[in-house]
Amino acid sequence: MASENVVKKLMRFFRPRSVAVIGASTKPGKVGNAVLRNLIDGGFKGKIYPVNPKAKEILGLKVYNRIKDIPGEVDHAFIAIRADTIPDIIPDLAEKNVPVAVVISSGFAEIGNHELQRKLVETARSYGIRIIGPNTYGVYCPPASLSSSFTIPYDYKGSLAVICQSGGVGMAALGYARIKRIGLSLNVGLGNMADLDHADLLEYLGEDKYTKAIALHVESIRDGRKFIRIASKVSKKKPIIVLKAGRTELGAKAAASHTAALTTIDQVVNVAFKKAGVIRAYSLEELFELGRALAMLPKPKGENVLIVTSAGGLGVLLSDACYDNNLRLMEPPEDLVSEYRKFIPPFGSFKNPMDITGSSTPDMQARAVKTAILHPEVHAIILGYWHTIITPPMEFAKSVVEAVEEARSKGVEKPIVVSLSGDLEVLKAAEYIEEKAGIPAYPFTPEKAVRALGALYEWARYAK
Amino acid sequence: MASENVVKKLMRFFRPRSVAVIGASTKPGKVGNAVLRNLIDGGFKGKIYPVNPKAKEILGLKVYNRIKDIPGEVDHAFIAIRADTIPDIIPDLAEKNVPVAVVISSGFAEIGNHELQRKLVETARSYGIRIIGPNTYGVYCPPASLSSSFTIPYDYKGSLAVICQSGGVGMAALGYARIKRIGLSLNVGLGNMADLDHADLLEYLGEDKYTKAIALHVESIRDGRKFIRIASKVSKKKPIIVLKAGRTELGAKAAASHTAALTTIDQVVNVAFKKAGVIRAYSLEELFELGRALAMLPKPKGENVLIVTSAGGLGVLLSDACYDNNLRLMEPPEDLVSEYRKFIPPFGSFKNPMDITGSSTPDMQARAVKTAILHPEVHAIILGYWHTIITPPMEFAKSVVEAVEEARSKGVEKPIVVSLSGDLEVLKAAEYIEEKAGIPAYPFTPEKAVRALGALYEWARYAK
């Protein structure tokens, strides 16, 4: 099986025992130097083999003058030598049993050099070697502490995989991840995507135990059938979110001059994605945000969504967003209402949104959250918090974490998203909730919280 | 003219020579104490008259036991006494020639006490006093260093006015503004909106020299005709952005139990808003983001938009967003193209997006920006930046600021938005561009940059 083969090859490549850097450089600032620094600083525990025809040692590592001189096998080849010299070293890589090479070097199709690119891929394939790139920033695999790239290391481990078809987008993904402290299981820059493509990576990620959700930036799909076949299978197991760039007339024109990529009529894409259970994002931020949230949220067990809010105005915005996201605001069960009536003032609202009012103390907030989580008919919860003197942001955050932990200790786990409205302190409170309870929390932006839950349901309805 | 009257009254209220705090408190944490602290800490330069029947001094301020004891007139009354006692003090306020009072106290329509609310407004009106609230957090007027609210002061002066019909949303507005360092000309919480409403505030803001753009959070519109009449007039001068909460079936249901507000069929709202030149936002973040950007951007002089990007992938996303926002990507004029060909490598793209490639140095980036700004046929520019070693984020930021300043020194001013894609450092670079050049800059989120420009054009087409 060719495709099984790809998965196996990628498994070796992303969990390498050894990395060879072809084009290792003694000069700081050069790609072949930066990657060595990143491998070391990123904490990679396997063997690192710098290859350079003249040097003896770089950054304390023994240098090999020829690939042939490397002792034993190489699981991961990083290539940063002149484009036209790469096809010639493929036989040497094959001798070291390299499964996949990531080619950083530019000078291929992106400057019109299609012939060289074709030659690279054909040569590599003839030796059973697969290529990521060329013209890419590289790959990051935090579970293996592997930063095989010339930018700075990324080592915040987690369960979101991000695959990008553009360097600019890939860098944005890393920057965004760093700010939001998103744990990643993988970040791959596909560059010119001459050989391995989104579908190949998807197939691998379907098997990768570290990955819970997959975010793809797609400019072009080379083989639509293959993509849909694999996506349909993988999205039964894990949510896939796609930002399809070049989806409009203007974007497609820009894509054509960018990568000479073929773009497809967007409605066709839409239908195909839906069939394959793929969730569409319409902006870079939405791609990252949904990816982040879906890597955190458990699958819901039913359609009953309950909003619990301490601000009526927030409840209105959350409800609008529920409508936009096809979420079903349940009729609150009678026993739930009578439970709430025990501790919520009568001027609250006992519908859905359940408005526990701005006068709620931290105890009342904790009780409200617990009551909602533990009720068997409630399948998912949207919490709306309003910054007050009575319950400052961190008090609320602690209430939420306490309630969630109590429910978990009873074996109850449900999707919960939190929207926090207030002054600066809500930022820290949101971070606290995410860190301690693993629940996505959104300061200032109620619609984003609901969009995340909406995407979860869209996926869950497909995956059953 | 009744409505001229409102504008004049509000002008006194928002630029007060004197503020009376009815219900001043000696106890820290109480509303009537917190507001005094905020007035002092916020740097208010006028007179502050705390009113409390028993105290002699609070926070170093002389206390007046009765309103009558205050010497001279009062321009701004802040009321935080028991709800049912407020109508009785109206005659005393009238004696001090109070034009407008902001009523913080709750206990009115929001808990079903409609009768008391009606009595408050009728009494006030019979004495020529207008009411903001009741049941609100208050008002902030940074140009007057006036923080007439019980939350913490906001003193970052600027030209965006934000009017909110919900406390939760108002607090989110302040928090968001603080994080993004958005200069405000006004922030008003309308609370129960028993008397003064969005339309009244709009009319005032049309005349307010500090306000360049207006952001409204609207749950209900009491008098649709009045709103549209005033909005049509004001939006000829200044952009108005509205987030209409309760625009969906679910949201409307929530709004009904929140404020007993009447909601209108959304398509009707849409048509009316369009006719009045009002820009619609569909999330809280969009409301704030558009408000922020439109307070910064100059009016464009024509429809020709040019994208200049150093990353092709970013160019594709920016182009998609242009399509979504009805922006016209011009055919680049021949002389512009030949100018770019002088310094951009041949593997760049000389269409629109103009792709100056990741190999661009800071000098090339500065030249590219200058060339675009100074070309007479280019009316607006979208800049796409990609984090590289050759041009790190701050170098790019300095290039942009330098180019903009040079153009300004030649009397050329055009709308420019910037999208930055890269690692953490792009955050600081974006802040630098906003701070130094007054140009909206967006890290990680290309679509937001274009959305801002799209909203500007939507408004400019209406305002001509």
Side-chain angles (χ1 to χ4, degrees):
Chain A
M1 293 303 300
S3 76
E4 256 188 14
N5 224 342
V6 168
V7 171
K8 275 189 193 152
K9 282 178 201 280
L10 285 171
M11 278 187 174
R12 269 182 68 205
F13 177 75
F14 288 127
R15 302 275 179 282
R17 292 157 301 177
S18 55
V19 174
V21 175
I22 321 299
S25 170
T26 53
K27 291 178 201 144
K30 288 271 178 192
V31 167
N33 185 273
V35 65
L36 290 174
R37 165 93 18 250
N38 287 347
L39 286 166
I40 296 165
D41 291 353
F44 178 61
K45 296 281 174 281
K47 287 185 179 116
I48 306 171
Y49 303 123
V51 179
N52 174 304
K54 287 175 195 158
K56 291 209 163 151
E57 197 185 277
I58 306 176
L59 299 172
L61 295 167
K62 174 178 163 51
V63 173
Y64 299 83
N65 295 132
R66 299 176 309 171
I67 296 168
K68 287 173 187 292
D69 300 341
I70 295 172
E73 295 197 345
V74 170
D75 292 332
H76 183 116
F78 178 99
I79 301 180
I81 54 177
R82 229 177 56 215
D84 59 347
T85 66
I86 301 174
D88 298 337
I89 63 156
I90 297 290
D92 292 351
L93 295 178
E95 223 172 86
K96 292 287 147 195
N97 197 21
V98 166
V100 180
V102 53
V103 180
I104 306 302
S105 321
S106 55
F108 293 91
E110 83 284 0
I111 59 160
N113 217 338
H114 296 278
E115 184 48 34
L116 182 63
Q117 183 161 311
R118 202 188 47 75
K119 191 179 162 196
L120 166 68
V121 174
E122 278 184 7
T123 313
R125 286 211 177 170
S126 73
Y127 283 90
I129 296 173
R130 305 303 300 263
I131 301 289
I132 289 180
N135 186 30
T136 169
Y137 57 85
V139 308
Y140 293 86
C141 190
S145 299
L146 178 75
S147 290
S148 183
S149 165
F150 56 88
T151 74
I152 53 177
Y154 192 85
D155 50 9
Y156 193 51
K157 297 169 174 51
S159 48
L160 173 65
V162 182
I163 313 295
C164 295
Q165 203 182 338
S166 143
V169 172
M171 287 299 96
L174 280 180
Y176 196 83
R178 232 184 273 276
I179 283 172
K180 295 272 184 164
R181 302 188 301 175
I182 305 175
L184 296 183
S185 57
L186 195 69
N187 176 317
V188 173
L190 289 174
N192 290 3
M193 205 170 78
D195 181 23
L196 291 175
D197 61 11
H198 297 95
D200 297 314
L201 270 301
L202 266 186
E203 186 149 33
Y204 163 73
L205 290 168
E207 305 297 321
D208 178 39
K209 66 175 175 182
Y210 294 99
T211 298
K212 264 191 71 183
I214 302 161
L216 305 179
H217 162 260
V218 174
E219 271 194 11
S220 56
I221 296 173
R222 212 170 27 211
D223 181 343
R225 282 180 179 227
K226 177 180 159 198
F227 180 87
I228 292 301
R229 179 173 50 80
I230 294 174
S232 305
K233 197 178 65 183
V234 173
S235 65
K236 287 278 177 198
K237 293 196 271 182
K238 305 173 184 189
I240 302 169
I241 309 111
V242 174
L243 174 65
K244 174 69 184 71
R247 65 186 158 74
T248 70
E249 214 180 290
L250 292 177
K253 239 173 94 179
S257 60
H258 175 219
T259 48
L262 277 178
T263 54
T264 330
I265 298 164
D266 198 55
Q267 290 96 312
V268 177
V269 172
N270 230 355
V271 172
F273 279 7
K274 201 152 250 167
K275 217 182 110 188
V278 166
I279 297 154
R280 270 192 99 159
Y282 285 90
S283 73
L284 205 50
E285 190 179 22
E286 196 183 14
L287 178 71
F288 301 153
E289 275 300 321
L290 294 185
R292 184 177 90 87
L294 296 196
M296 296 172 101
L297 292 167
K299 209 192 270 186
K301 297 201 171 69
E303 293 280 341
N304 289 338
V305 177
L306 181 72
I307 298 175
V308 179
T309 179
S310 59
L314 199 52
V316 179
L317 294 176
L318 293 168
S319 300
D320 276 335
C322 282
Y323 183 93
D324 292 340
N325 282 283
N326 296 314
L327 291 172
R328 183 177 170 281
L329 290 185
M330 70 192 299
E331 199 64 46
E334 266 177 48
D335 58 337
L336 186 72
V337 169
S338 50
E339 191 55 39
Y340 271 95
R341 281 198 188 275
K342 285 180 192 161
F343 61 99
I344 299 301
F347 56 90
S349 173
F350 301 89
K351 296 172 185 169
N352 191 357
M354 194 72 84
D355 183 354
I356 63 172
T357 83
S359 70
S360 289
T361 62
D363 280 352
M364 286 157 73
Q365 305 243 9
R367 193 166 164 189
V369 179
K370 264 178 234 172
T371 305
I373 305 184
L374 293 176
H375 197 284
E377 285 174 50
V378 175
H379 299 128
I381 301 160
I382 299 167
L383 294 177
Y385 164 74
W386 176 25
H387 191 158
T388 63
I389 306 168
I390 301 160
T391 303
M394 275 310 281
E395 291 300 309
F396 167 74
K398 284 174 188 160
S399 297
V400 173
V401 172
E402 179 201 317
V404 169
E405 280 172 356
E406 194 181 315
R408 279 182 187 153
S409 75
K410 291 176 180 164
V412 179
E413 177 86 59
K414 288 172 186 178
I416 303 173
V417 294
V418 186
S419 164
L420 299 98
S421 173
D423 216 317
L424 269 192
E425 299 158 52
V426 299
L427 275 181
K428 280 228 169 304
E431 279 177 12
Y432 182 87
I433 292 170
E434 296 200 338
E435 190 100 0
K436 299 288 176 185
I439 285 173
Y442 303 81
F444 317 119
T445 55
E447 296 83 2
K448 272 190 197 163
V450 180
R451 174 71 190 114
L453 194 65
L456 180 75
Y457 268 94
E458 193 184 330
W459 168 68
R461 285 176 199 132
Y462 173 85
K464 287 291 180 329
Chain B
M1 294 301 300
S3 77
E4 257 189 14
N5 225 343
V6 169
V7 172
K8 275 188 192 152
K9 281 177 201 282
L10 285 171
M11 278 186 174
R12 270 182 67 205
F13 177 74
F14 287 126
R15 302 277 178 279
R17 292 157 301 178
S18 55
V19 174
V21 174
I22 322 298
S25 171
T26 53
K27 289 177 202 144
K30 287 273 178 189
V31 167
N33 186 272
V35 65
L36 290 173
R37 166 92 17 250
N38 287 347
L39 286 167
I40 296 165
D41 290 352
F44 177 61
K45 296 282 174 279
K47 288 185 178 116
I48 305 172
Y49 302 124
V51 178
N52 175 304
K54 287 175 194 158
K56 291 211 162 149
E57 196 186 276
I58 305 175
L59 299 172
L61 295 167
K62 174 178 164 49
V63 172
Y64 298 84
N65 295 132
R66 300 175 310 170
I67 295 168
K68 286 174 190 288
D69 300 341
I70 295 173
E73 295 197 344
V74 171
D75 291 332
H76 183 116
F78 178 98
I79 302 179
I81 55 177
R82 230 178 55 216
D84 59 347
T85 67
I86 300 174
D88 299 338
I89 62 155
I90 296 290
D92 293 350
L93 294 179
E95 223 173 84
K96 291 287 145 194
N97 197 22
V98 166
V100 181
V102 55
V103 179
I104 305 303
S105 322
S106 55
F108 293 92
E110 83 284 359
I111 60 158
N113 216 337
H114 297 277
E115 183 48 34
L116 183 62
Q117 183 161 310
R118 201 188 47 74
K119 190 178 162 195
L120 166 68
V121 173
E122 279 184 6
T123 312
R125 286 211 177 171
S126 73
Y127 284 91
I129 296 173
R130 305 303 300 263
I131 301 289
I132 289 180
N135 186 31
T136 169
Y137 58 84
V139 309
Y140 293 86
C141 190
S145 299
L146 178 74
S147 289
S148 183
S149 167
F150 56 88
T151 75
I152 54 176
Y154 193 86
D155 51 9
Y156 193 52
K157 296 170 175 50
S159 48
L160 173 65
V162 182
I163 314 294
C164 295
Q165 203 182 338
S166 143
V169 173
M171 286 300 96
L174 281 180
Y176 196 83
R178 231 184 275 276
I179 283 173
K180 294 274 184 162
R181 303 189 300 176
I182 305 176
L184 296 182
S185 58
L186 196 69
N187 176 315
V188 173
L190 289 175
N192 289 4
M193 204 170 78
D195 181 22
L196 291 175
D197 61 12
H198 297 94
D200 297 315
L201 269 301
L202 266 186
E203 186 149 33
Y204 162 74
L205 290 169
E207 305 296 322
D208 178 38
K209 67 176 176 184
Y210 294 99
T211 298
K212 266 191 70 184
I214 303 161
L216 304 179
H217 162 262
V218 174
E219 272 194 10
S220 56
I221 296 174
R222 214 171 24 213
D223 182 343
R225 283 180 179 228
K226 177 181 158 197
F227 180 87
I228 292 302
R229 178 173 52 78
I230 294 174
S232 305
K233 197 178 65 182
V234 173
S235 65
K236 287 277 175 198
K237 294 197 271 184
K238 305 171 184 190
I240 302 169
I241 307 110
V242 173
L243 173 67
K244 173 71 183 72
R247 66 187 157 74
T248 69
E249 214 180 291
L250 293 176
K253 239 173 95 180
S257 60
H258 174 218
T259 48
L262 278 178
T263 54
T264 331
I265 298 165
D266 198 56
Q267 290 95 311
V268 177
V269 172
N270 230 356
V271 172
F273 279 7
K274 203 153 249 169
K275 216 182 110 187
V278 165
I279 296 154
R280 270 193 100 159
Y282 285 91
S283 74
L284 206 49
E285 190 178 22
E286 196 183 15
L287 178 71
F288 301 153
E289 276 299 321
L290 294 185
R292 185 178 90 86
L294 296 196
M296 296 172 102
L297 291 167
K299 210 191 269 186
K301 297 200 171 68
E303 293 280 342
N304 289 338
V305 176
L306 182 72
I307 298 175
V308 179
T309 180
S310 58
L314 199 52
V316 179
L317 295 177
L318 292 168
S319 300
D320 276 335
C322 282
Y323 182 92
D324 292 339
N325 282 283
N326 296 313
L327 291 173
R328 183 178 169 281
L329 290 185
M330 69 191 300
E331 199 64 45
E334 267 178 45
D335 58 336
L336 186 72
V337 169
S338 49
E339 191 53 39
Y340 271 96
R341 280 199 188 275
K342 285 182 193 161
F343 62 98
I344 299 302
F347 57 89
S349 172
F350 301 89
K351 297 174 183 168
N352 191 357
M354 193 74 84
D355 183 352
I356 63 173
T357 83
S359 69
S360 289
T361 62
D363 280 352
M364 287 157 72
Q365 305 243 8
R367 192 164 166 191
V369 179
K370 265 178 233 171
T371 305
I373 304 184
L374 293 176
H375 197 284
E377 284 174 51
V378 176
H379 299 128
I381 301 159
I382 299 166
L383 294 178
Y385 164 74
W386 176 25
H387 192 158
T388 63
I389 307 168
I390 301 160
T391 303
M394 275 310 282
E395 291 298 310
F396 167 74
K398 284 175 190 161
S399 296
V400 173
V401 172
E402 179 201 317
V404 169
E405 280 172 357
E406 193 182 315
R408 278 183 187 152
S409 74
K410 291 176 180 163
V412 179
E413 178 86 59
K414 288 172 187 177
I416 303 172
V417 294
V418 186
S419 164
L420 298 98
S421 174
D423 216 318
L424 269 191
E425 299 158 52
V426 300
L427 275 182
K428 280 229 169 307
E431 278 178 12
Y432 182 87
I433 292 171
E434 297 200 338
E435 191 99 359
K436 299 286 177 188
I439 286 173
Y442 303 81
F444 316 119
T445 55
E447 296 83 3
K448 272 189 197 164
V450 180
R451 175 70 191 116
L453 193 65
L456 180 75
Y457 268 95
E458 192 184 331
W459 168 66
R461 285 174 200 133
Y462 173 87
K464 288 290 183 324

